[in-house]
């Protein structure tokens, strides 16, 4: 017994990790048993023609010609018994062929006794014996659907169709007689099958390994807090990137266009470096796939990505084409990482899906390194930086093509390096400490004007640490950063527009009309008639502006609270977003509050706390004002404002800590590990939300 007790004592940590993994496995197994098992019958379908107002009895056969540009796994038609008292019996044979060549593509046979009895008819689905693939095709194929009944008694069925003239190449005939109209026809493109279970357990096993591995680091005396943060950010980011794939993050479609266009300017020798038209994108000819370029993630998005992941690229070397898809901005600074990695993928002849994941995970790796280094370098509020780096919204943006991924990483690191320079162990600063701060200060404001006040953190650094000419050094750093900012074309255009009251709403605000439905004169007139809350309008209408802000807080306050931490993930569209349970949102805010009170690192002085707080509030205020000036005057709430806009300066807002409320023990490691577990719960919540679509 003593040997057994000694053995358990010596390997206590290993048994604890095994227990954590076993508990996590039980949770994921229970979720699979109750929510995932049995979902394989879900199918992805679309209406080739969803109208039917008449029925025609069928004796010998039905032939319908139609166009289709998607995969076909099954076809559904509307049928009903001619006489409900005598339902048809026998077999119904389906043959799908190429209408131009006559080549048989697939067939199917079903029992007519399964036709539901009803005078209005029901859709009856016949699965094909093999999939008819049309992936990546830009032209629709012309098919011929033939239904041949083999009756066993006097019972007959009628088939539903929509009468009316049809385009050339589409025809309907019943028993050899042509009919002017088209069958009610639905195509089934894909079924979930066993893919969902396999994909679920890939995510589950990754989450289980993370739970056990992070517990091992949490209980290790050698592992530092920044080691734990790096591992959690990296693995959680990968899992988030799988559950919320490319095109799922806010505006990621346009950020992907920007990164691929940047890579194309290097790849194509005929193009100038980093210079493209913002209103179009430069891609390789095959870098598009309608099945995965969707903002709303579904199970079939996962399946399509898995299906096309192994595919390489076979386009002509060095060839790119312009596509009518807009980008985000005219600068490529925040797209350098993903752009160069995508260019490397071009050289390796990687396929479209491979490029998407390569660029995403490259951004994630940079974010994980920067944030872990920020946690390591900051002498104050280490738990705050760690928890903010692990927020679900932060991870969602970190593993995306969005420029917010690199912007967040640079903002966190800039604040940490300035705090290290101001309160770290060094008495005198050298170029080694000042150059990184200057470089980051040159990068952040040009990307988004609203974060210009973050440069005020330079005044945290005591004059005694800057040497003989502290004022000149500060002025020099600020002059370089602001000079680069002013030379940026986007910033100059924005400042000029605000100064001249030329702010106009984006093209998406068109009173319900699509931009491509209007000619140039109509669009210009529409914009001219739209008045926004420009600076002069705000000054002349203070009451209306105040009402706008109040209504925004009252009506959308919960949305901002949720989108700050990740209570809503996805594209931020009412029909496309993933709403996370309020329980996890409350837990995230509770952990953030505990991190704020955790005494890891030296407390800041009142002056330093005030500088950090004012700089953060100034950035938040500019973010709000920036959305206000884009808001049309007939809007009742501020247009486009989201809680994630405050993420880059969230650590600054949490640096001020009352001494009376400070916790007595340092619980930073436990908070970070607990935050990782909450992230796994949010991830599982998001997974089930996608499955439920």
């Amino acid at each position: 017994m003593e040997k057994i007790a000694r053995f358990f004592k010596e390997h206590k940590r290993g048994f604890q990790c095994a227990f954590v993994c076993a508990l996590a496995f039980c949770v994921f197994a229970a979720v699979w048993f109750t929510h995932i098992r049995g979902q394989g019958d879900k199918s992805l379908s679309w209406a080739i023609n969803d109208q039917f107002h008449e029925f025609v009895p069928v004796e010998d056969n039905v032939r319908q010609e139609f166009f289709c540009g998607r995969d076909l796994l099954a076809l559904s038609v509307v049928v009903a018994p001619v006489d409900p008292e005598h339902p048809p019996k026998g077999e119904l044979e389906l043959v799908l062929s190429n209408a131009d060549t006559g080549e048989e593509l697939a067939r199917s046979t079903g029992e007519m006794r399964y036709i539901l009895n009803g005078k209005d008819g029901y859709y009856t689905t016949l699965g094909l014996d093999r999939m008819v693939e049309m992936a990546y095709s830009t032209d629709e194929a012309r098919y011929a659907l033939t239904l041949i009944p083999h009756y066993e008694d006097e019972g007959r069925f009628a088939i539903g169709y929509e009468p009316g003239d049809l385009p050339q190449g589409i025809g309907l005939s019943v028993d050899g007689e042509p009919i002017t109209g088209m069958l009610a026809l639905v195509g089934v493109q894909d079924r979930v099958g066993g893919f969902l279970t396999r994909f679920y357990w890939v995510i589950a096993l990754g989450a289980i390994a993370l739970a056990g591995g992070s517990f091992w680091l949490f209980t290790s005396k050698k592992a530092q807090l920044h080691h734990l943060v790096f591992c959690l950010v990296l693995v959680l980011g990968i899992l988030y990137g799988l559950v919320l794939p490319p095109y799922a993050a806010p505006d990621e479609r346009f950020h992907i266009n920007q990164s691929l266009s940047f890579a194309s300017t290097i790849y194509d020798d005929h193009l100038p470096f980093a210079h493209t038209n913002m209103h179009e994108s430069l891609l390789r000819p095959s870098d598009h796939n309608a099945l995965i370029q969707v903002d709303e993630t579904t199970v079939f998005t996962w399946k399509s990505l898995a299906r096309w992941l192994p595919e390489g690229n076979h386009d002509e070397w060095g060839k790119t084409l312009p596509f009518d898809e807009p980008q985000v901005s005219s600068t490529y600074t925040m797209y350098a990482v993903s752009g160069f990695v995508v260019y490397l993928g071009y050289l390796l002849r990687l396929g479209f899906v491979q490029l998407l994941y390569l660029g995403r995970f490259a951004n994630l790796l940079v974010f994980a390194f920067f944030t872990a280094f920020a946690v390591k370098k900051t002498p104050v509020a280490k738990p705050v930086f760690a928890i903010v780096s692990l927020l679900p919204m932060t991870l969602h943006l970190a593993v995306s093509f969005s420029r917010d991924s690199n912007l967040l990483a640079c903002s966190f690191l800039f604040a940490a390096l300035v705090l290290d320079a101001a309160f770290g162990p060094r008495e005198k600063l050298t170029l080694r400490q000042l150059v990184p701060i200057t470089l980051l200060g040159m990068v952040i404001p040009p990307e988004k004007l609203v974060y210009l006040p973050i440069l005020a953190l330079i005044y945290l650094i005591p004059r005694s640490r800057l040497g003989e000419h502290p004022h000149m050094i500060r002025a020099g750093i600020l002059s370089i950063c602001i000079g680069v900012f002013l030379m940026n074309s986007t910033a100059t255009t924005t400042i000029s527009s605000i100064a001249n009251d030329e702010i106009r709403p984006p093209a998406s605000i068109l009173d319900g009309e699509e931009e491509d439905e209007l000619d140039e004169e109509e669009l210009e007139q529409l914009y001219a008639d739209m008045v926004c809350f420009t600076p002069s309008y705000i000054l002349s209408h203070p009451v209306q502006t105040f009402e706008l802000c109040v209504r925004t807080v009252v009506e959308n306050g919960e949305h901002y609270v949720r989108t700050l931490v990740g209570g809503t993930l996805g594209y931020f569209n009412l029909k496309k977003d993933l709403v996370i349970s309020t329980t996890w949102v409350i837990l995230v805010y509770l952990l953030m509050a505990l991190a704020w009170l955790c005494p890891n690192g030296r407390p800041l002085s009142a002056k330093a706390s005030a500088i950090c707080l004012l700089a953060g509030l100034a950035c938040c205020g500019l973010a709000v004002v920036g959305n206000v000036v884009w808001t049309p005057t007939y809007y009742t709430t501020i247009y486009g404002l989201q809680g994630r806009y405050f993420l880059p300066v969230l650590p600054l807002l949490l640096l001020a800590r009352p001494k009376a409320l400070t916790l007595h023990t340092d619980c930073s490691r436990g908070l970070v590990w607990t935050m990782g577990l909450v992230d796994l719960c949010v991830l599982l919540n998001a997974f089930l939300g996608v499955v439920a679509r």
Side-chain angles (χ1 to χ4, degrees), residues 42 44 122 179 198 209 254 285 317 350 502 576 645:
K42 293 181 70 173
L44 178 63
Y122 293 95
I179 295 179
R198 294 191 297 270
F254 311 111
W317 182 270
L350 299 183
E502 295 177 358
K576 300 177 181 179
Y645 294 162

Side-chain angles (χ1 to χ4, degrees), residues 79-101:
V79 293
V82 174
D83 183 0
E85 300 295 330
H86 298 87
K89 296 180 180 180
E91 292 185 341
L92 178 60
E93 182 180 2
L94 179 151
V95 178
L96 183 67
S97 58
N98 187 309
D100 297 320
T101 64

Side-chain angles (χ1 to χ4, degrees), residues 48-328:
I48 300 173
N49 174 43
D50 61 351
Q51 301 293 323
F52 61 97
H53 288 91
E54 294 190 15
F55 285 83
V56 57
V58 179
E59 183 65 35
D60 295 324
N61 63 75
V62 178
R63 178 183 171 89
Q64 173 70 70
E65 297 167 349
F66 64 96
F67 288 99
C68 178
R70 305 191 190 187
D71 295 346
L72 284 174
L73 187 65
L75 286 166
S76 300
V77 294
V78 173
V79 293
V82 174
D83 183 0
E85 300 295 330
H86 298 87
K89 296 180 180 180
E91 292 185 341
L92 178 60
E93 182 180 2
L94 179 151
V95 178
L96 183 67
S97 58
N98 187 309
D100 297 320
T101 64
E103 175 190 3
E104 182 178 310
L105 303 175
R107 64 170 50 240
S108 176
T109 302
E111 292 286 337
M112 285 189 284
R113 59 190 175 92
Y114 293 118
I115 295 177
L116 297 177
N117 192 352
K119 63 179 181 178
D120 295 329
Y122 293 95
Y123 276 103
T124 297
T125 302
L126 292 168
L128 305 179
D129 60 355
R130 55 186 179 273
M131 177 180 286
V132 179
E133 296 186 357
M134 284 295 297
Y136 281 132
S137 174
T138 57
D139 298 324
E140 293 185 329
R142 195 166 73 96
Y143 294 111
L145 168 66
T146 304
L147 295 173
I148 306 172
H150 302 282
Y151 296 114
E152 293 181 352
D153 56 15
E154 69 278 7
R156 297 293 185 267
F157 74 84
I159 194 160
Y161 74 99
E162 179 68 16
D165 296 331
L166 298 173
Q168 185 176 1
I170 297 180
L172 171 64
S173 63
V174 177
D175 298 334
E177 296 292 330
I179 295 179
T180 304
M182 183 174 181
L183 296 181
L185 191 60
V186 172
V188 177
Q189 183 174 334
D190 200 2
R191 282 199 177 93
V192 176
F195 168 80
L196 181 59
T197 291
R198 294 191 297 270
F199 183 70
Y200 173 80
W201 281 109
V202 167
I203 302 298
L205 292 176
I208 294 168
L210 176 64
S214 60
F215 183 82
W216 183 272
L217 289 176
F218 163 59
T219 55
S220 173
K221 296 181 180 179
K222 295 182 179 179
Q224 301 297 317
L225 182 64
H226 60 276
H227 297 152
L228 183 58
V229 170
F230 179 82
C231 294
L232 284 173
V233 169
L234 192 61
V235 180
L236 281 170
I238 292 174
L239 295 177
Y240 270 80
L242 294 176
V243 174
L244 297 168
Y247 294 92
D251 296 326
E252 190 173 10
R253 171 185 297 274
F254 311 111
H255 296 292
I256 290 175
N257 292 341
Q258 188 105 15
S259 294
L260 268 62
S261 297
F262 175 67
S264 297
T265 63
I266 312 173
Y267 180 63
D268 193 333
D269 296 333
H270 301 89
L271 298 174
F273 174 69
H275 182 74
T276 60
N277 185 352
M278 277 186 58
H279 302 290
E280 64 180 17
S281 302
L282 292 171
L283 312 173
R284 295 179 303 181
S286 63
D287 283 343
H288 59 88
N289 188 327
L291 299 179
I292 62 177
Q293 290 175 288
V294 292
D295 304 329
E296 183 181 10
T297 304
T298 66
V299 176
F300 300 100
T301 311
W302 292 337
K303 192 171 183 180
S304 297
L305 285 163
R307 175 184 175 188
W308 294 109
L309 182 60
E311 294 293 323
N313 181 265
H314 305 288
D315 293 329
E316 180 183 343
W317 182 270
K319 184 178 181 180
T320 61
L321 295 175
F323 287 83
D324 188 20
E325 296 183 2
Q327 301 179 47
V328 179

Side-chain angles (χ1 to χ4, degrees), residues 394-462:
T394 308
L395 294 171
H396 183 38
L397 295 172
V399 62
S400 73
F401 274 86
S402 174
R403 62 179 173 182
D404 288 344
S405 175
N406 292 325
L407 183 64
L408 286 170
C410 291
S411 299
F412 295 163
L413 185 57
F414 176 81
L417 291 179
V418 172
L419 291 171
D420 180 50
F423 308 107
R426 303 176 190 84
E427 294 182 1
K428 296 291 183 181
L429 300 179
T430 63
L431 289 177
R432 186 177 179 182
Q433 288 81 47
L434 296 178
V435 168
I437 293 174
T438 305
L439 292 176
L440 290 170
M442 293 165 55
V443 167
I444 298 171
E447 287 302 316
K448 287 192 177 180
L449 178 149
V450 298
Y451 301 121
L452 181 63
I454 200 174
L455 297 178
L457 296 182
I458 297 296
Y459 286 94
L460 288 174
I461 304 176

Side-chain angles (χ1 to χ4, degrees), residues 513-562:
E513 298 182 80
E514 296 293 335
E515 184 177 6
D516 54 10
E517 295 177 358
L518 305 174
D519 58 34
E520 186 175 350
E521 292 184 1
E522 291 175 330
L523 187 60
E524 185 65 28
Q525 182 62 40
L526 179 62
Y527 277 132
D529 293 339
M530 297 176 102
V531 180
C532 295
F533 283 86
T534 57
S536 61
Y537 188 90
I538 293 174
L539 293 175
S540 59
H541 298 78
V543 176
Q544 185 178 352
T545 305
F546 178 75
E547 291 177 351
L548 174 77
C549 296
V550 172
R551 280 195 298 266
T552 299
V553 173
V554 173
E555 297 181 18
N556 298 337
E558 181 185 358
H559 174 70
Y560 303 143
V561 170
R562 296 182 67 89

